[in-house]
Amino acid sequence: MTALLLVPLVLAFLAPALARRTLDRLAPATALWVLTASALALAGACVAALGALVLTGLLKLPTLAALGELVHPLRTPSDYLVLPAAVAATGVLSLGALTLARSAFRQAGAFRTARAQADRRPAAGDLCVVDSPHPDAYALPGRPHRIVVTTAMLRSLGPAEREALFAHERAHNRAGHHYFLAVAELAAHCHPALRAVRDTIRLAAERAADESAATAVGDRRLIATAIARAALAGHDSPSTRPDFAPAATTGPVPQRVAALLAPAPARSRASARRPAALLLVACTVLSVAAGTAGVVDFHHQVEIAQGEESP
């Protein structure tokens, strides 16, 4: 049982490298779905495994075993492995819950502030202009969706570049990328390795919006120029937007610009290579299967300890 529960925790360390390769080899929109679904499944498997390890350690204590209506404390093959694993799992779960709660409060506050600021301003369609000396632009979720842009950002771009930037942010809102970023943030607090996967998911969302905007505008070079100019203008500028509100200036901008300016044959060849995605999916499936088997075995051992089933 313990070995099975450790499998998801170990396999999660393979996810960052596989996630980066998946993004390099799949179309950005497809990669975004694969990465987000994998991160969510890996996070769920890790939390289930950690929870089962914690309960295993607790139910080995006679007092807690009696509270759980067990005839005898839970029996495991080796206490030398189970007890340290249970202690470590308790620490990891506690730390993850604490950081998740802090992040949720911070993000909720930032969203309320950004939404209130946008609602106070007159909007031209979905566009909301905020008077600020700091260049910034982002897609703000909610009802209705908004594209928030500061006056400083508007002054930093030409008319065509502004329209390209707006097309990028509209692509975020249209595809609901804030949901993907929220899932990535949740997963990042379930296992340390998934923090790097969160960054890759953010990049995938930006790359997907880049490609969608390039299709809408019909000029990849213009999108690349607008993103580069916006990123230079907003460099080191403070922003109060929540992390799940995507913005064209986030992520490794040089990498995104290079992808937009890459020749079409190179882009099509990159989208055709999928072994990394298959490896990531296989890793995720194995992690979920091992975690499920470990939890089922844990439940079986609890039933034995309750005297409901003979070993």
Side-chain angles (χ1 to χ4, degrees):
M1 174 184 67
T2 304
L4 286 172
L5 293 175
L6 293 177
V7 169
L9 306 178
V10 174
L11 286 181
F13 287 103
L14 300 177
L18 293 175
R20 289 191 296 270
R21 290 179 175 272
T22 297
L23 178 56
D24 290 339
R25 287 161 172 77
L26 288 183
T30 304
L32 180 60
W33 278 99
V34 173
L35 294 176
T36 307
S38 297
L40 184 60
L42 287 169
C46 289
V47 170
L50 289 170
L53 286 171
V54 170
L55 290 176
T56 299
L58 291 177
L59 292 179
K60 292 184 71 63
L61 302 176
T63 302
L64 294 178
L67 291 176
E69 299 182 353
L70 273 63
V71 176
H72 54 77
L74 200 65
R75 294 169 182 168
T76 54
S78 174
D79 292 346
Y80 295 104
L81 176 62
V82 172
L83 293 179
V87 171
T90 302
V92 172
L93 273 181
S94 301
L95 181 60
L98 176 62
T99 58
L100 178 60
R102 291 178 59 185
S103 177
F105 280 117
R106 181 173 60 85
Q107 296 300 321
F111 175 71
R112 286 194 299 267
T113 300
R115 194 73 212 183
Q117 184 184 51
D119 291 341
R120 286 195 301 266
R121 302 285 178 173
D126 61 348
L127 182 62
C128 177
V129 179
V130 176
D131 187 14
S132 172
H134 305 295
D136 197 13
Y138 56 93
L140 182 64
R143 293 186 179 180
H145 292 326
R146 288 278 188 258
I147 297 172
V148 179
V149 60
T150 64
T151 51
M153 179 62 79
L154 292 178
R155 289 193 295 267
S156 302
L157 303 176
E161 292 165 348
R162 294 174 191 169
E163 292 302 321
L165 182 66
F166 299 158
H168 175 97
E169 304 302 353
R170 286 192 180 99
H172 279 310
N173 279 335
R174 187 167 54 249
H177 286 164
H178 51 281
Y179 293 117
F180 295 90
L181 299 185
V183 169
E185 183 67 23
L186 173 64
H189 294 279
C190 297
H191 193 286
L194 297 181
R195 295 175 185 173
V197 178
R198 172 186 58 189
D199 296 336
T200 306
I201 291 174
R202 289 175 176 171
L203 176 57
E206 295 304 324
R207 284 284 298 114
D210 291 343
E211 294 296 330
S212 180
T215 301
V217 173
D219 189 341
R220 300 181 67 85
R221 183 171 294 276
L222 176 60
I223 298 295
T225 302
I227 289 171
R229 287 185 180 275
L232 287 174
H235 183 63
D236 291 335
S237 292
S239 177
T240 59
R241 66 175 179 265
D243 291 343
F244 58 83
T249 57
T250 59
V253 173
Q255 181 179 340
R256 292 166 53 200
V257 170
L260 283 166
L261 299 179
R267 294 196 300 271
S268 63
R269 285 197 302 269
S271 298
R273 300 191 296 267
R274 302 181 180 180
L278 295 177
L279 286 175
L280 178 61
V281 171
C283 176
T284 302
V285 171
L286 180 59
S287 177
V288 171
T292 302
V295 170
V296 169
D297 188 39
F298 164 74
H299 183 262
H300 178 68
Q301 295 301 324
V302 170
E303 287 183 335
I304 293 175
Q306 288 175 329
E308 296 178 2
E309 185 177 331
S310 59

